[in-house]
Every structure is written in C-alpha cells, then in structure tokens.
C-alpha cells in the first residue's frame, strides 16, 4: 500500500502496475488530504465565506469538493465564489500572508487542509508571524496514525508499506519504524519517481522473501535521520497533536493538528460560530452511492466503485477522490484506467 | 500536495529566496532551513512555497530528468473521457 497521492500519481502515470509480475498489487491507501477532510469542515468554510464578512483562502483542490446538499443549492466553494463570496485559491501559505497584509482590517480566513508536508509550512508561517487579520481554519492530519489504525483493525489488507517520501523528509523516517517494530511489516520510504518507487517495491519484496524486515530508505536524497529539525520545531511551537476525524474513516487518535491556545487570536474555529446543523442530511458522510470511503481505506480500487467513470468523472465529480489531484479515482481516470481487473483488495 | 520540486537558489534576502527550476522563477521561504547554510547556487526541495530540505545538484538534476519523463508520459495519456490534469 502507498499512502501518498504523489506516489499513486507516479505509479499510475508510469504504468508500473502493468509491468509488475502477477501477484504484486499496488494499493492506493489514505494518501489524499482533500479526500479525508471532514465534509462538515468544508461546509463550515463555505458558510463562513457566504455569511461572514471575510475573505476565504484555500488550496485550489478544495474548491470543487461538493458537500452533501441538494443539487439546487450552493455545494462547493467554487459555486460559493460564483455566487459572490470572496474565495481565493492559493498555492502557498506565503500567499495567505501577502493577501492578508494587503487587506488591513478585513478578516482573512485560510482554510488549510493537508498532511505534515503542507502543515509544516503553515506552522512556519505562524512561527514567522502573521498579520492580525489572518486566521486559520486548520484541517491538518498526520499520515502514520491512519496506517497504524489500519494495521490495528485486523483487516489491513496489505503486506508491505511504501512510506511517503516528503512526510519523512519533514518528520524523519523514525516515525515509520513502528511498522517494523510492532507489525513486522516490510516497509520502504520512496520518492516520487518511478525508479525510487520501483526500488521501494523491490526492497519490500526482498525483505519478505529473505525474512529480513527493516525500514528501508529509497529516497536518501532528502530523507535524513531526524527529518528537518527546524520544521519539526515550528510544528511543536505552534500546533498541538489532537484526536481528529477523517472523512469516511472516523476519529483516529492523535492524528490531527490544532492551533495552540497561545494562537487563539488566529484560530477561526474559536473566532466564528459553527454553521453545522447536526440535523443536516448526510452530515460528514460521503455522498450517497459513493464508495470513496472504501477507496480511501484501500478496501477497493477506484474502479470497484459503481459510480467510477459512470456518473463520477473529473468533470462531474461525486466524491472527493475524483476531485483532488491526489485522489486515487481522479489519478486513475486521468491515467486512462477504465477497468483494472482488480476491484477489491481484501 | 506532496509533490516537491527541486529548485536552485538564485537570490537570498533574509528568509526569502528567489529560486529557479527549468526557467520558472518562484519566491521560496527558507524559514524551515534555518539550521542549514543555504547559499546562492544551492539546490533545495520546495513544497508549497517553502524549502523543506537541501539537496546536491546531482540529486536535483536526476529528479528533473525523471519529472520530465513523467510529464511526457502524462502528455500521452489523452484517453476517452480522461481529463488532462
């Protein structure tokens, strides 16, 4: 299993599955932060943009994820923007600072979803100091607790893990040692090129065949012992690790980031009321008929969902896995995969 | 969002660096490389506008070559119903 949309993209676009011998399956797992971002948090961001006098910033991927509302209503940040809300896609936390600094007196909310690689830059932005009018709606997650949860569930459905290269660059490879220590699972950290991924796949196979299980580093260019100490320091200084909800999965212990109390003045979760009505239909769930939850968990391949390529395509996405550039469904569809012949993993 | 791009530093002012990759220039924050002695001409791995690690020129070059191959492969994936991303 891989747990990174960047890995899945490289695997699919290079056609690695088609050249591997039978018996080796590459399963896309929970590797897409947009896909597991709680539906109610996207809803909250959208309602803030529609009902508060604010400017909302978000990474571009997030703008087209539909929330569970009737088709006639405003269902995405993109539609809210078209309806007049001030919503701006950004590509870097530095843009959030620049935009907020350029709008003195106007509240700016940065809806930041991402894994460690994205949240460390957000933490760096906070540590460096942000304008008074910039607040964060943070939906940051740690990747390894999701893998630990799958392994502890008793039905993991995979025999080896390709660990995410840039998460390990920031946090250090040591985070993934539990795979070997606690689960005797072959594991290798990979970069984002076919050769690094092939090296990692080969390493895990050899580990299994030789019975010599260890955490291999197939991305030594940037993955070093201890990770990036400055990045980890800014994370520690600005954010707490908390239990967090993953869309389609549920709560995973110690798997999310939250702003420290000292940054309460920049915490949009504290500054604004919740617009989520607990009575709203399908609150927090995946859309009706959508199998994104099982895709995210690696229980089925994208084409195992009956909506894949039928009613759900990148032009008319139903679930988040078909929206995000890191969603397995979108990657498979962009890669021309109509049917894989491998629909279920367990 | 995990796709990092290796870039070369062309100018440094405080924590801000102007970086280049394949003729494209970007402003990059060096805030997370405070412990490193980053100089003009060095290569760094950039993720959402922040340098997350230093790398050697050889490492950067081999990544670029492979990214080029990936992009080429992507150009060839014009499939029925497939949207180019």
């Amino acid at each position: 299993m891989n747990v990174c949309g960047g890995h899945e993209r490289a695997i699919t676009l290079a056609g690695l599955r088609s050249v591997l011998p039978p018996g080796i399956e590459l399963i896309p797992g929970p590797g897409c932060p947009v896909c597991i971002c709680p539906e109610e948090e996207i809803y909250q961001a959208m309602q803030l943009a529609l009902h508060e006098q604010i400017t909302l910033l978000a990474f571009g991927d997030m703008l087209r994820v539909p929330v569970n509302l009737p088709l006639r209503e405003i269902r995405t940040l993109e539609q809210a923007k078209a309806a007049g809300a001030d919503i701006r896609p950004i590509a870097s936390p530095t843009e959030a600072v620049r935009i907020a600094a350029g709008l003195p007196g106007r509240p700016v909310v940065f809806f930041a979803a991402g894994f460690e690689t994205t949240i460390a830059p957000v933490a760096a932005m906070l540590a460096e100091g942000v304008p008074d009018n910039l607040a964060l709606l943070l939906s940051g997650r740690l990747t390894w607790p999701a893998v630990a949860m799958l392994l502890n569930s008793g039905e993991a459905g995979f025999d080896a893990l390709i660990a995410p290269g840039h998460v390990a660059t920031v946090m250090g490879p040591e985070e993934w040692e539990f795979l070997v220590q606690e689960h005797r699972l072959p594991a290798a950290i990979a970069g984002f090129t076919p050769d690094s991924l092939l090296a990692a796949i080969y390493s895990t196979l050899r580990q299994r065949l030789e019975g010599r299980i260890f955490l291999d580093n197939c991305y030594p260019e940037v993955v070093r012992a201890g990770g990036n100490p400055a990045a980890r320091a800014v994370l520690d200084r600005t954010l707490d690790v908390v239990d967090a909800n993953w869309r389609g999965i549920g709560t995973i212990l110690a798997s999310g980031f939250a702003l420290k109390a000292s940054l309460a003045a920049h915490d949009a979760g504290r500054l604004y009321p919740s617009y989520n009505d607990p009575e709203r239909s399908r609150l927090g769930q995946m859309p009706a008929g959508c199998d994104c939850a099982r895709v995210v968990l690696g229980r089925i391949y994208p084409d195992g969902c009956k909506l894949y390529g039928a009613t759900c395509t990148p032009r008319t996405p139903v679930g988040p896995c078909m929206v995000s550039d890191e969603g397995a469904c979108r990657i498979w569809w962009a890669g021309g995969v109509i049917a894989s012949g491998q629909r279920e993993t367990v | 969002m995990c796709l990092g791009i290796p870039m070369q530093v062309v100018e440094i002012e405080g924590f801000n660096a102007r970086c280049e990759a394949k003729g494209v220039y970007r402003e990059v924050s060096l805030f997370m490389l405070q412990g490193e002695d980053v100089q003009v001409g060095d290569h760094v791995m950039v993720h959402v506008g922040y340098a997350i690690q230093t790398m050697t020129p050889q490492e950067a070059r081999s990544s670029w070559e492979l990214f080029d191959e990936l992009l080429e492969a992507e150009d060839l994936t014009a499939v029925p119903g497939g949207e180019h991303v």
Side-chain angles (χ1 to χ4, degrees), chain A residues 110-174:
Chain A
F110 175 16
F111 178 30
F115 289 143
E116 298 92 330
T117 31
T118 304
I119 301 305
V122 170
M125 173 194 84
L126 289 168
E128 202 170 356
V130 296
D132 291 342
N133 59 327
L134 180 59
L136 274 164
L137 194 59
L138 191 63
S139 191
R141 299 288 182 270
L142 291 105
T143 42
W144 72 263
V147 176
M149 184 279 296
L150 281 174
L151 287 167
N152 291 329
S153 72
E155 44 178 11
F158 56 95
D159 310 307
L161 190 89
I162 306 300
H166 288 148
V167 171
T169 302
V170 171
M171 307 299 284
E174 298 83 0

Side-chain angles (χ1 to χ4, degrees), chain A:
Chain A
M1 175 177 277
N2 73 73
V3 290
C4 176
H7 279 168
E8 184 52 34
R9 173 159 291 266
I11 287 168
T12 299
L13 294 181
L16 290 192
R17 286 190 180 85
S18 64
V19 297
L20 290 174
I24 301 172
E25 292 189 33
L26 305 179
I27 304 169
C32 164
V34 171
C35 305
I36 57 89
C37 179
E39 188 259 0
E40 52 270 50
E41 290 180 23
I42 305 171
Y43 181 88
Q44 172 72 4
M46 196 168 81
Q47 299 309 316
L48 286 183
L50 286 168
H51 299 297
E52 303 280 346
Q53 296 298 311
I54 63 152
T55 296
L56 186 88
L57 313 177
F59 291 117
D61 263 21
M62 204 47 111
L63 266 60
R64 294 182 66 225
V65 181
V67 298
N68 296 324
L69 286 172
L71 286 173
R72 64 182 180 279
E73 295 188 29
I74 294 172
R75 301 172 71 233
T76 65
L77 290 169
E78 193 175 54
Q79 290 169 356
K81 180 177 166 65
D86 185 4
I87 298 174
R88 309 182 192 182
I90 60 171
S92 167
T94 56
E95 283 181 66
V97 172
R98 196 159 54 240
I99 290 170
L103 297 170
R106 165 91 172 168
V108 176
V109 175
F110 175 16
F111 178 30
F115 289 143
E116 298 92 330
T117 31
T118 304
I119 301 305
V122 170
M125 173 194 84
L126 289 168
E128 202 170 356
V130 296
D132 291 342
N133 59 327
L134 180 59
L136 274 164
L137 194 59
L138 191 63
S139 191
R141 299 288 182 270
L142 291 105
T143 42
W144 72 263
V147 176
M149 184 279 296
L150 281 174
L151 287 167
N152 291 329
S153 72
E155 44 178 11
F158 56 95
D159 310 307
L161 190 89
I162 306 300
H166 288 148
V167 171
T169 302
V170 171
M171 307 299 284
E174 298 83 0
E175 272 194 340
W176 299 93
E177 283 287 353
F178 79 96
L179 298 167
V180 174
Q181 305 300 334
E182 293 174 29
H183 301 281
R184 302 295 302 154
L185 195 80
I189 297 164
F192 297 85
T193 53
D195 67 333
S196 181
L197 282 157
L198 278 175
I201 293 162
Y202 177 74
S203 170
T204 57
L205 286 170
R206 197 179 53 186
Q207 290 178 44
R208 171 66 71 201
L209 291 173
E210 294 181 356
R212 197 168 56 90
I213 313 290
F214 66 102
L215 176 67
D216 204 351
N217 180 3
C218 299
Y219 196 30
E221 297 96 309
V222 287
V223 175
R224 294 166 201 162
N228 177 332
R232 289 173 55 204
V234 293
L235 281 169
D236 286 345
R237 195 158 13 122
T238 57
L239 306 176
D240 289 321
V241 173
V242 297
D243 299 345
N245 180 24
W246 294 52
R247 186 177 187 180
I249 297 177
T251 297
I252 301 178
L253 298 179
S255 69
F257 291 106
L259 270 77
K260 283 198 182 291
S262 57
L263 288 164
H266 295 284
D267 188 346
R270 297 176 192 242
L271 296 174
Y272 298 98
S274 170
Y275 283 86
N276 271 294
D277 172 4
E279 301 299 311
R280 181 165 58 85
S281 173
R282 299 194 72 83
L283 173 119
Q285 297 178 34
M286 291 296 184
C290 163
D291 239 339
C292 271
R294 289 202 294 160
V295 170
V296 162
L297 286 167
R299 302 268 193 253
I300 59 168
Y301 289 96
D303 62 333
C305 174
K306 61 183 182 301
L307 303 186
Y308 176 81
T311 54
C312 186
T313 69
R315 271 182 228 286
T316 55
V318 176
C321 301
M322 191 58 94
V323 177
S324 173
D325 279 342
E326 296 186 286
C329 296
R330 182 173 184 131
I331 293 167
W332 278 41
W333 190 251
V337 185
I338 305 298
S340 66
Q342 299 175 335
R343 298 164 70 88
E344 296 200 359
T345 62
V346 285

Side-chain angles (χ1 to χ4, degrees), chain A residues 9 13 91-93 117-118 121 124-125 128 166 169 193 195 219 221-222 224 228 230-231 314-315 326 330 333-334 336, chain B residues 1-2 4 15 29 31-33 45 47-50 52-55 59 66 70 73-74 77 79-83 85:
Chain A
R9 173 159 291 266
L13 294 181
S92 167
T117 31
T118 304
M125 173 194 84
E128 202 170 356
H166 288 148
T169 302
T193 53
D195 67 333
Y219 196 30
E221 297 96 309
V222 287
R224 294 166 201 162
N228 177 332
R315 271 182 228 286
E326 296 186 286
R330 182 173 184 131
W333 190 251
Chain B
M1 281 188 269
C2 287
F15 292 129
S29 170
F31 195 78
M32 290 197 293
L33 292 181
M45 178 62 78
H47 182 76
V48 294
Y50 282 75
I52 58 171
Q53 196 55 280
T54 54
M55 25 187 352
E59 288 159 355
L66 287 150
L70 262 185
E74 203 165 351
T77 56
V79 292
E83 189 177 83
V85 286

